[in-house]
Amino acid sequence: MSTSFDVFVKEMQDFFCPDKVYIMDGSQEEAERLTEVAQKSDIDGRVVLKKLNGQEYPNSYYHRSNTNDVARTEHLTFVCVPVKDQAGPNNNWLDPKEAKEKMRSLFKGAMKGRIMYVIPFVMGMPKSKYAKNCVQITDSVYVALSMRIMSRVGKQAIERIGNSSDFFRGIHSIGDVNPDRRFIMHFPQDNLVMSFGSGYGGNALLGKKCYSLRIGSYLGYQEGWLAEHMIIIGVEAPNRKITYFLGAFPSACGKTNLAMLDPVLKGYKVWTLGDDIAWINIGEDGRLYAINPEAGFFGVAPGTGYKTNPIMMETLKNDKFFPTLFTNTAVDNSNNTPWWEGISDEVSFNLIDWQGQKYDKNSGKPAAHPNSRFTVSIYNCPTLSPEYDNPKGVPISGIIFGGRRKDTIPLVYEAKDWNSGVFTASIIGSETTAAASGQVGTVRRDPMAMLPFCGYNMGDYFQHWLNIGKKTKKLPKVFMVNWFRKDDDGNFMWPGYRENSRVIKWMIDRIEGKTGARESEIGLFPQEGAIDLSGLSIKKKIMDKLLNVDKEDWKKEVIMIEEFYKKFGNKIPKDLMDHLKELKEKLGV
Ligand code: GTP
Ligand code: SPV
Ligand code: MN
């Protein structure tokens, strides 16, 4: 008797008409074989993978994508549910029937002459009751190899699925990489995603944003948990006690860097559990517990270097689990190593830019694409927490929210309680980045850093957050940070990166009740001198500015918040409306 898994594979084969079907087993031997295949395959004349210098970067490969396919395309991403209001103003919407027809016509016969890769995978530790079974179909060997790094691919997924038809189906074809024929369609009610025309991370690795966040958030809403765009870290203090934090920042706003922080403060250490996605459940003791459903990092290359993120540099040079992929970075032709802005101070004469051209230093353009990335296994990370594979997850004591703002938002403040924290997170604004196509640097509201990833109406999502608070014992403290304030000359006011440990230390002190706080219109600030600045030369005037409510800026901010809230009509919970009213009153608006 054939299982639902077999039936699904057969259906896909009949539909896509590939030359060959290959079911992945997740072995390291398979990785070797597929990297061989990728070095011999090409897409529009470009070889899929090129081997990099194995002495400097063992088992690492270079991939250059089509220049039109370098970031998530939010305008081509849809949530398809019968009623538009269920998707909410935060999503593009299409009727599921119409969307499926459209995708079927694009998919039909699309794999002629290609290999159809079948990727059985588990999101989460297979022994965990929170883990989920998934299968992705793709015709891109780059996507297949990336999925091997980013998730737990192999037989254990097929075993877990057994005869059941309850698994996520992700159907992907890279098609002809034409933006006019590119769609990423989500069907939360069918546990299904269809994606065509892109090979880029968030558009094509369907276990990541598509399943673990858009479909995941929808499941969480139904089942009473949260799927969030968050890092998970354990921060060890000099007394050896480990405090677990979640951290939500919009795309390209510092999650990976914070997840691998090498603290400048003596005696502190960060243990890494996740850099992008967290699934949060209420544990047996009533507290919030988080797991990372992923098994790898798909990280932003520019800005990563030994000074800013030494742990990631070490991770990239490890090959315990291989391969490691570099996508759309530049390449230093003198020694065949990947290169990007921020990896070193010098620029080699021999750079080939991300488009394959000889790099001209005087062009004023970067050599690596601003959204160039690496794909590397989490098992290669030297600071990986021993708790990473704990099926229960880790208990959370603090949640850090942040955005990228050159003004208005202070370096750090704390919300008074859970509901104020939900309000604070719901009003996050952040400057857009190269992680998504479109204009970079314009402020948009990005509640909980989930605007592009919440698979249902965000008004309902806010209520869900409030409800979780009601059901949880010993709620975590909620903090807001901004590492990206700039002075009038456009320079960062706060040194950031490893220095952010100073702010984290203050948070731990707050969680442990070791330090008081100063009240303000927007929340609680550190008391004078409460942030440990030992060994850092930063002027008091700058610190005062970083830890202050600029009333004029905030008056403009509340207007933007109000406009955003209005889009959701009466879906915004009354509690959040009350918080907004109170904030306006305090600011005298
Ligand atoms: P996604 O993978 O898109 O979700 O991004 P992310 O949130 O993980 O961002 P990441 O840590 O990769 O950082 C994005 C960019 O911000 C990189 O160029 C970093 O070098 C830079 N960055 C990260 N942390 C800091 C910081 O504390 N200060 C400054 N100035 N830049 C930072
Ligand atoms: C992001 O854009 O938030 C990323 C990269 O983490 S992607 O996988 O493309 O979503
Ligand atoms: Mn992300």
Side-chain angles (χ1 to χ4, degrees):
M1 197 192 89
S2 58
T3 65
S4 310
F5 172 78
D6 299 328
V7 172
F8 175 54
V9 172
K10 180 76 174 54
E11 261 174 31
M12 291 293 105
Q13 184 177 5
D14 290 348
F15 197 76
F16 278 116
C17 308
D19 280 11
K20 245 174 83 180
V21 175
Y22 176 74
I23 299 178
M24 289 179 69
D25 64 20
S27 65
Q28 290 288 74
E29 182 272 325
E30 172 180 78
E32 278 167 35
R33 217 166 352 99
L34 293 190
T35 46
E36 285 303 317
V37 170
Q39 288 176 86
K40 289 181 196 131
S41 327
D42 68 280
I43 311 177
D44 6 292
R46 276 166 299 110
V47 61
V48 174
L49 289 185
K50 258 169 74 178
K51 186 144 179 46
L52 289 162
N53 181 332
Q55 235 112 59
E56 295 279 337
Y57 291 88
N59 269 306
S60 293
Y61 297 83
Y62 181 65
H63 173 75
R64 190 177 285 135
S65 77
N66 191 307
T67 56
N68 75 33
D69 191 29
V70 294
R72 280 183 295 102
T73 43
E74 294 178 3
H75 61 296
L76 305 174
T77 301
F78 291 79
V79 168
C80 310
V81 281
V83 180
K84 187 173 182 202
D85 192 49
Q86 289 172 344
N90 47 300
N91 282 303
N92 300 313
W93 174 84
L94 254 183
D95 176 72
K97 212 166 143 246
E98 195 184 319
K100 279 180 193 164
E101 267 164 34
K102 196 183 192 95
M103 295 311 280
R104 280 197 193 109
S105 70
L106 292 168
F107 279 154
K108 194 144 185 61
M111 295 189 190
K112 278 191 188 119
R114 299 181 184 178
I115 299 172
M116 180 175 108
Y117 294 91
V118 180
I119 315 171
F121 63 104
V122 183
M123 292 312 286
M125 152 78 178
K127 278 197 204 121
S128 170
K129 66 174 178 188
Y130 308 127
K132 303 274 187 194
N133 302 332
C134 311
V135 180
Q136 174 164 346
I137 303 294
T138 186
D139 52 6
S140 157
V141 64
Y142 166 78
V143 168
L145 276 164
S146 302
M147 285 297 292
R148 267 191 89 262
I149 303 168
M150 297 306 298
S151 68
R152 291 157 169 101
V153 169
K155 291 198 188 83
Q156 75 239 50
I158 300 182
E159 279 158 20
R160 277 180 52 114
I161 291 170
N163 284 325
S164 161
S165 55
D166 179 20
F167 56 90
F168 164 69
R169 290 159 169 82
I171 308 175
H172 171 254
S173 166
I174 190 161
D176 51 0
V177 204
N178 177 351
D180 296 334
R181 289 153 49 79
R182 177 176 299 160
F183 295 100
I184 301 98
M185 303 279 195
H186 299 70
F187 305 91
Q189 295 174 338
D190 301 321
N191 206 7
L192 169 72
V193 171
M194 294 177 163
S195 165
F196 188 81
S198 166
Y200 173 77
N203 291 341
L205 313 181
L206 303 184
K208 198 172 180 41
K209 296 306 185 351
C210 297
Y211 180 67
S212 290
L213 289 181
R214 295 197 193 91
I215 304 284
S217 61
Y218 172 86
L219 294 175
Y221 180 54
Q222 313 282 316
E223 299 168 3
W225 54 281
L226 291 165
E228 296 295 327
H229 192 203
M230 287 179 173
I231 70 165
I232 313 171
I233 53 174
V235 185
E236 186 174 325
N239 64 6
R240 309 297 298 271
K241 192 170 168 218
I242 299 177
T243 307
Y244 291 97
F245 285 91
L246 295 168
F249 301 74
S251 301
C253 292
K255 284 186 303 302
T256 303
N257 279 271
L258 189 60
M260 242 157 265
L261 187 82
D262 184 18
V264 285
L265 293 178
K266 256 185 100 178
Y268 284 83
K269 179 174 168 71
V270 168
W271 293 100
T272 308
L273 290 106
D275 84 322
D276 200 47
I277 297 175
W279 284 352
I280 308 155
N281 283 274
I282 300 173
E284 279 159 24
D285 60 0
R287 291 183 67 183
L288 294 182
Y289 282 75
I291 64 156
N292 173 12
E294 299 193 282
F297 307 123
F298 181 57
V300 177
T304 309
Y306 279 103
K307 277 188 205 149
T308 53
N309 193 350
I311 310 285
M312 184 53 99
M313 292 306 294
E314 280 180 48
T315 306
L316 295 174
K317 299 207 167 197
N318 257 354
D319 68 339
K320 192 166 115 193
F321 187 100
F322 55 83
T324 294
L325 309 179
F326 293 86
T327 302
N328 295 333
T329 63
V331 172
D332 185 346
N333 241 4
S334 57
N335 60 359
N336 192 30
T337 55
W339 192 92
W340 51 80
E341 280 67 25
I343 194 175
S344 62
D345 294 334
E346 321 85 62
V347 180
S348 149
F349 286 107
N350 244 325
L351 284 186
I352 302 296
D353 72 14
W354 69 275
Q355 302 193 58
Q357 306 298 319
K358 191 157 172 42
Y359 181 58
D360 172 10
K361 269 192 207 182
N362 301 319
S363 67
K365 291 185 193 148
H369 187 277
N371 192 40
S372 54
R373 294 195 178 237
F374 40 74
T375 318
V376 61
S377 168
I378 199 166
Y379 291 104
N380 292 348
C381 176
T383 56
L384 182 67
S385 163
E387 293 296 305
Y388 166 71
D389 265 335
N390 185 336
K392 290 186 181 161
V394 290
I396 301 302
S397 302
I399 306 183
I400 308 166
F401 288 99
R404 181 185 285 269
R405 292 295 295 272
K406 61 180 180 338
D407 50 37
T408 316
I409 309 301
L411 175 65
V412 62
Y413 62 99
E414 178 190 319
K416 271 189 178 161
D417 53 29
W418 180 261
N419 283 19
S420 306
V422 174
F423 173 68
T424 303
S426 81
I427 66 171
I428 293 176
S430 194
E431 292 154 22
T432 49
T433 64
S437 64
Q439 207 185 341
V440 169
T442 49
V443 174
R444 71 167 182 187
R445 293 299 112 192
D446 193 349
M448 283 82 169
M450 278 289 278
L451 181 76
F453 309 120
C454 179
Y456 61 103
N457 192 312
M458 265 199 145
D460 294 328
Y461 169 78
F462 295 149
Q463 185 60 53
H464 185 47
W465 263 85
L466 294 170
N467 294 349
I468 292 278
K470 280 187 221 131
K471 288 192 277 183
T472 305
K473 286 190 199 128
K474 210 174 161 208
L475 280 161
K477 273 192 182 291
V478 178
F479 302 94
M480 179 73 205
V481 301
N482 177 20
W483 314 137
F484 300 95
R485 276 291 278 269
K486 286 187 173 169
D487 61 19
D488 295 340
D489 299 328
N491 302 311
F492 287 116
M493 291 165 73
W494 174 251
Y497 297 104
R498 301 180 58 203
E499 307 288 346
N500 295 334
S501 52
R502 300 173 186 280
V503 177
I504 310 284
K505 179 187 174 189
W506 175 75
M507 293 174 184
I508 296 175
D509 290 345
R510 286 292 299 156
I511 289 165
E512 301 203 326
K514 285 188 190 152
T515 180
R518 168 167 63 88
E519 292 224 16
S520 81
E521 294 87 341
I522 58 174
L524 306 172
F525 277 111
Q527 287 174 335
E528 190 81 36
I531 294 186
D532 184 345
L533 298 175
S534 53
L536 178 69
S537 70
I538 186 163
K539 291 199 180 90
K540 182 169 181 307
K541 222 171 79 185
I542 293 180
M543 282 312 289
D544 288 347
K545 192 147 190 224
L546 286 171
L547 296 172
N548 178 44
V549 180
D550 185 319
K551 281 211 176 181
E552 290 317 303
D553 282 354
W554 270 94
K555 281 181 183 167
K556 289 181 216 147
E557 192 77 5
V558 282
I559 292 168
M560 290 193 276
I561 295 164
E562 205 158 31
E563 273 171 20
F564 180 74
Y565 266 21
K566 268 193 195 138
K567 288 192 196 168
F568 295 85
N570 60 12
K571 283 268 186 193
I572 298 287
K574 180 172 178 304
D575 191 271
L576 299 191
M577 290 307 287
D578 290 347
H579 272 89
L580 179 59
K581 197 165 153 245
E582 195 188 321
L583 177 61
K584 282 171 71 181
E585 279 164 13
K586 283 184 183 161
L587 293 165
V589 181

